[in-house]
């Protein structure tokens, strides 16, 4: 699922604001730097998710027979291959 840049920025703001409210967290950098780093991390995770999705779909399409998306078999294979890719990447 693609998330717009505005939504990623909103999430990054929420992360920075929430961390600022936690007593156990002290910022060594200003809040904007924290927000930017949170945005970078979120964008990296979303990019990884796109790669994982593509790999899982690729494995399904490489099957000898055609498996239609939306069927129970496709859903089961997708979850299996998706989880395998997540484990392989160590996420």
């Amino acid at each position: 699922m693609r998330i717009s840049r505005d939504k990623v920025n909103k999430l990054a703001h929420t992360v920075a604001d929430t961390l600022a409210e936690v007593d156990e967290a002290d910022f060594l950098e200003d809040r904007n730097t924290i927000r930017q780093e949170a945005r970078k991390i979120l964008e990296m995770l979303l990019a990884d998710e796109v790669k994982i999705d593509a790999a899982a779909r690729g494995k399904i399409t490489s099957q000898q027979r055609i498996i239609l998306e939306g069927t129970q078999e496709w859903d089961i294979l997708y979850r299996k291959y998706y989880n395998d890719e997540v484990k392989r990447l160590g996420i």
Side-chain angles (χ1 to χ4, degrees):
M1 168 190 265
R2 295 295 305 157
I3 297 178
S4 71
R5 185 172 175 87
D6 288 338
K7 288 183 181 178
V8 172
N9 279 330
K10 175 70 174 155
L11 284 170
H13 273 288
T14 303
V15 168
D17 292 344
T18 302
L19 286 174
E21 294 172 2
V22 174
D23 293 335
E24 292 84 17
D26 291 326
F27 287 176
L28 300 177
E29 299 286 336
D30 63 298
R31 191 180 288 194
N32 190 48
T33 303
I34 302 299
R35 181 195 58 78
Q36 289 174 347
E37 285 300 313
R39 183 183 50 79
K40 285 180 193 175
I41 292 168
L42 288 168
E43 287 175 344
M44 288 183 345
L45 287 172
L46 291 170
D48 286 345
E49 197 278 330
V50 169
K51 291 176 190 173
I52 292 167
D53 177 71
R57 289 176 181 275
K59 287 181 181 180
I60 292 172
T61 40
S62 70
Q63 301 290 318
Q64 286 185 345
R65 60 187 182 80
I66 296 172
I67 302 169
L68 297 175
E69 186 172 349
T71 63
Q72 184 178 8
E73 181 181 15
W74 191 93
D75 292 340
I76 291 169
L77 286 173
Y78 180 82
R79 279 194 302 269
K80 179 189 181 315
Y81 294 145
Y82 189 95
N83 289 333
D84 289 348
E85 285 297 311
V86 169
K87 288 177 188 171
R88 188 180 68 77
L89 293 175
I91 297 176

